[in-house]
Amino acid sequence: MSDISRNLELVKKNIVDACARVGRDANEVTLIAVSKTKPIEALKEAYDAGARDFGENKVQELSDKIDKMPEDITWHMIGHLQRNKVKYIAGRVGLIHSVDSYRLAEEINIQAKKKNCVIPILIEVNYAGEESKFGIPKDETLELIKEISELDSVHIVGLMTIAPFVENPEENRAIFRGMKQLSVDINQENIDNVEMKILSMGMTNDYIVAVEEGATHVRVGTGIFGARDYSKKN
């Protein structure tokens, strides 16, 4: 068994165990293998070990990998998305996690119409208010969702956040709990064209806590593929 296969099995087991602790069904949680900067060989190893959801940060890298990998993969755009790059991934990805402005949603809507499809999106919330991070402030989230909900070729299906990098994952528990509550509050607004079925939160260092607090999608890169090598341009 390769390191990637072994790592993938361990992450899956941790998710199952976390769900058991809080009385959740582990089938509610989707594990996204974050494959940014990783070579195709590594993605194929993960695929052969059972991974079917992959996340990428950059449009060019995402497009290249879609062309080289099997068609039954669901691709997730998890990085900051520039409006001028939307056309390259519209209709090719299963979910865009990182929508944090009306103008971006508007461009996704335009490109979705050209592809004759409806694109599911998540609203990225900068819950911790970190200046270095993208995302809408938590207290502006509802207003943005109401605006975007008027667009007919995008469909809001939940929220995403990138919690602060911390040594002790327990420090992010309150953020994950707050995100869950935010999704519940928004769901109670009963806004047309808005669902709160997805909560994308938790990465290698804190995905276990995120699952305990209600994450439906966790984004794990290093925990599956090992440390990234940013010197390579794959």
Side-chain angles (χ1 to χ4, degrees):
M1 184 184 270
S2 72
D3 286 347
I4 288 174
S5 301
R6 201 173 292 112
N7 291 344
L8 193 64
E9 287 308 307
L10 177 59
V11 173
K12 286 180 178 176
K13 180 183 184 303
N14 288 341
I15 289 171
V16 169
D17 291 348
C19 285
R21 281 194 294 275
V22 294
R24 293 185 69 193
D25 180 349
N27 292 320
E28 294 175 5
V29 182
T30 298
L31 171 58
I32 301 170
V34 177
S35 45
K36 62 183 181 182
T37 79
K38 294 300 176 184
I40 284 294
E41 300 79 56
L43 275 73
K44 287 183 172 167
E45 269 190 60
Y47 179 87
D48 290 342
R52 290 297 180 271
D53 289 80
F54 287 82
E56 289 285 336
N57 276 48
K58 293 188 165 28
V59 168
Q60 181 65 55
E61 191 175 353
L62 176 59
S63 299
D64 291 347
K65 286 175 175 175
I66 289 174
D67 293 337
K68 294 172 183 172
M69 291 290 288
E71 290 185 359
D72 64 337
I73 288 171
T74 299
W75 293 94
H76 299 257
M77 178 64 198
I78 60 176
H80 179 63
L81 180 58
Q82 295 170 296
R83 296 199 308 281
N84 64 347
K85 301 278 181 71
V86 172
K87 60 190 174 192
Y88 300 114
I89 61 167
R92 303 192 79 197
V93 298
L95 184 60
I96 298 174
H97 289 233
S98 46
V99 177
D100 62 357
S101 72
Y102 181 79
R103 290 180 72 193
L104 175 57
E106 191 175 42
E107 182 61 31
I108 295 170
N109 196 60
I110 289 166
Q111 298 303 328
K113 286 183 189 300
K114 290 181 181 177
K115 292 286 197 301
N116 197 28
C117 66
V118 174
I119 296 179
I121 64 170
L122 303 180
I123 303 303
E124 181 175 358
V125 183
N126 186 347
Y127 196 90
E130 291 184 282
E131 288 185 15
S132 61
K133 298 260 178 75
F134 292 102
I136 187 86
K138 61 187 176 189
D139 56 358
E140 296 175 22
T141 306
L142 179 58
E143 184 182 346
L144 179 63
I145 285 174
K146 286 178 176 175
E147 286 180 40
I148 294 174
S149 71
E150 302 290 332
L151 301 170
D152 58 1
S153 292
V154 298
H155 180 43
I156 297 172
V157 293
L159 305 176
M160 179 268 240
T161 198
I162 301 172
F165 184 82
V166 291
E167 291 298 323
N168 179 3
E170 285 296 330
E171 292 177 33
N172 282 337
R173 188 177 292 277
I175 289 171
F176 297 142
R177 190 169 290 169
M179 282 292 297
K180 173 64 175 178
Q181 188 58 51
L182 182 61
S183 74
V184 168
D185 293 345
I186 290 167
N187 199 48
Q188 289 174 343
E189 296 282 329
N190 291 317
I191 305 162
D192 284 347
N193 195 28
V194 174
E195 291 182 271
M196 284 290 123
K197 63 182 181 180
I198 291 177
L199 200 49
S200 171
M201 59 187 192
M203 296 160 70
T204 293
N205 63 318
D206 57 15
Y207 71 90
I208 294 173
V209 173
V211 168
E212 289 174 350
E213 294 300 335
T216 66
H217 288 58
V218 292
R219 311 179 302 271
V220 179
T222 306
I224 294 171
F225 295 105
R228 295 189 191 98
D229 182 355
Y230 286 102
S231 67
K232 292 181 181 176
K233 296 288 184 206
N234 295 308

